[in-house]
Amino acid sequence: MSASTSVEESGAEPSGPSSSTVDLAITEMTCTSCVNRFERSLNRVPGVLATVNFATASARVSFPADLSSSDLVESAEATGYGATLPAAEGAGGSGDGAVRAGFVVADTVKPTSAEAVAALRILGLAPVLLTGDNEAAARHVAARVGIDEVIAEVHPEDKVAHVKRLQAEGKVVAMAGNGVNDAAALSQADLGLAMGTGTDAVIAAADLTLVEGDLRGAVDAINPLIAGAAMASASVFVVSLGLRRFQPSSFTG
């Protein structure tokens, strides 16, 4: 007897948008009569459609969303045969398509970044975040540290062009960077600041190196230049380094 005949006799409906499908491992089946008996019994459960593959000792079962996978196993075992969920399901999955837990990943801003940006503003500088990160992530971080102007999704070769554009607008540009892709832009800037945690190429291209890798060091480096009028009120401070540390955050269940 086919599975479709069993459904017709039981009045069950085939799986729909609100149903899930799972493959059960079936034990203790010794003949095709066992297959028919299993299908007929399980398909009597409202909304369930079971098709057994005798050769692989498994059954593909569609079941409604209001029936949990554990209840499904109980119904299957009530037919007189053993039934187990796949390993992933048995390890804690429900098999019903419902989300049981999720990981939340967030950007964690370095504790000193906002303080450094605020100090740069006090010096009269306009901070700009120049990054290859996507727009949403960049603006999220910028908002956390107090930067209004964001230039995101920038290719390494375009960083120099952005520095040149700011200079063409009559601005004096100081830039801090720590990646090898920042080297050319640091060299183009009126003042290039390399973080001590950066690559050798960045350190070689910069005018100054901030040994501790703390953005607050940029404030100490620029302050004397402001006092000596080497940088005017129209100056821009371009940040092209990791203001954040990317790490997995909370687990919810």
Side-chain angles (χ1 to χ4, degrees), residues 127-192:
V128 176
L129 178 59
L130 179 66
T131 177
D133 284 351
N134 68 69
E135 185 83 15
R139 291 199 174 279
H140 171 74
V141 172
R144 295 284 302 276
V145 300
I147 295 179
D148 298 324
E149 184 173 351
V150 176
I151 305 172
E153 300 181 26
V154 179
H155 295 294
E157 62 271 18
D158 294 332
K159 289 186 177 182
V160 174
H162 283 288
V163 172
K164 288 182 176 180
R165 175 183 60 78
L166 291 169
Q167 291 170 327
E169 294 172 358
K171 297 180 173 64
V172 178
V173 179
M175 177 174 173
N178 64 351
V180 64
N181 294 328
D182 298 324
L186 286 175
S187 181
Q188 175 63 39
D190 298 288
L191 175 64

Side-chain angles (χ1 to χ4, degrees), residues 47 60 194 248:
R60 172 151 294 187

Side-chain angles (χ1 to χ4, degrees), residues 85-148:
L85 292 166
E89 297 289 343
S94 66
D96 56 9
V99 176
R100 297 299 183 229
F103 286 99
V104 178
V105 180
D107 294 324
T108 302
V109 177
K110 291 182 179 179
T112 58
S113 296
E115 178 186 342
V117 171
L120 290 168
R121 285 189 179 280
I122 291 174
L123 292 178
L125 302 181
V128 176
L129 178 59
L130 179 66
T131 177
D133 284 351
N134 68 69
E135 185 83 15
R139 291 199 174 279
H140 171 74
V141 172
R144 295 284 302 276
V145 300
I147 295 179
D148 298 324

Side-chain angles (χ1 to χ4, degrees), residues 57-80:
S58 64
R60 172 151 294 187
V61 185
S62 296
F63 58 102
D66 58 357
L67 182 67
S68 70
S69 56
S70 57
D71 290 336
L72 181 66
V73 170
E74 289 182 9
S75 298
E77 291 181 334
T79 64

Side-chain angles (χ1 to χ4, degrees), residues 191-195 203 206-210 221-222 225:
L191 175 64
L193 302 172
M195 309 304 287
I203 292 174
D207 299 299
L208 297 173
T209 299
L210 307 178
I222 292 174
L225 299 177

